[in-house]
Structure formats: C-alpha cells, structure tokens
Amino acid sequence: QELLVESGGGLVQAGGSLRLSCGASLRSIGSFTLGWFRRAPGKEREFVAAITGGAHTTNYADSVKGRFTISRDNNKSTVYLQMDSLKPEDTAVYYCAATYGPDLSPTAKYPYWGQGTQVTVSS
C-alpha cells in the first residue's frame, strides 16, 4: 500500500500555475511534518517546502519563496503545493514526504516518500 500518493503534475507554460496534492495514509497525520521535494534532470533532490502538523508553520526554499504555497487539510490527510509564476527551472519530479514531529529543516530525515509526479514548465 502506498502511504503517500501525489497527483496534479503536468505540462504548463512559464508564468502558469499548478496545484499538487498528496494523499497520506498515515495514522495520526497531524503528528507529521509534510514536505515537498523535487529532483530536476541531472540534479540532486532538493527541498521545496514543508509544513508542520498542528501549528501549520511553514518553511520554503529561497528559490520558490513568494511563488509556491504549501498547505494541508488534516481532515482529508492531504498536503498541497500551489505553484504560481512557474519557471522552466521548476521542471522536475515533485515528491511529497512525511516525517514524525515538527521539523521544518530542509535536511530533516523523511522516512516516508511518495512516487513523485512530473511537472514540466515550457518556455
């Protein structure tokens, strides 16, 4: 059983928007920090954004700050990533991940990962 399942990826023109969703099958989802990461072709996986379980405190990579918004609905066990003003350099496979406890650090250890969803931004 997949514990984290992403959806919402696709092809969009530069300047456009996409909204990614990630459904989580984890007990006590409110106890988990949920994060989004991405891996561009030929590059290492990088942190994008994270949100804590109850306080809804967030953290963003500098490269997406002001353009992306992470949110969550614990009643639906879902985390979202609203991506606006997309750029070609945002092209990547986007992954959601979960870690127990309130850790927003980009280097936090995430034991649970989804399979990823492709986002392609054309110029």
Side-chain angles (χ1 to χ4, degrees):
Q1 179 188 1
E2 303 272 350
L3 293 179
L4 298 169
V5 180
E6 303 95 337
S7 61
L11 174 64
V12 64
Q13 287 189 328
S17 298
L18 278 176
R19 188 195 197 202
L20 305 183
S21 299
C22 176
S25 300
L26 293 166
R27 293 184 64 183
S28 303
I29 189 63
S31 299
F32 287 83
T33 293
L34 300 175
W36 286 97
F37 294 76
R38 66 186 182 187
R39 187 194 301 272
K43 295 188 176 181
E44 297 286 318
R45 185 176 64 199
E46 65 175 355
F47 170 82
V48 175
I51 185 168
T52 54
H56 289 203
T57 309
T58 59
N59 188 27
Y60 295 91
D62 287 342
S63 59
V64 307
K65 204 169 291 185
R67 300 188 298 121
F68 290 11
T69 304
I70 189 171
S71 62
R72 64 190 290 165
D73 184 339
N74 287 342
N75 291 328
K76 297 181 179 179
S77 295
T78 301
V79 61
Y80 305 96
L81 187 67
Q82 177 67 40
M83 305 186 294
D84 299 317
S85 302
L86 282 162
K87 305 175 181 179
E89 51 263 45
D90 294 318
T91 295
V93 177
Y94 283 71
Y95 301 88
C96 71
T99 186
Y100 190 82
D103 191 347
L104 292 172
S105 169
T107 59
K109 303 299 183 185
Y110 282 79
Y112 305 105
W113 291 87
Q115 294 298 308
T117 185
Q118 176 71 47
V119 171
T120 303
V121 184
S122 63
S123 56

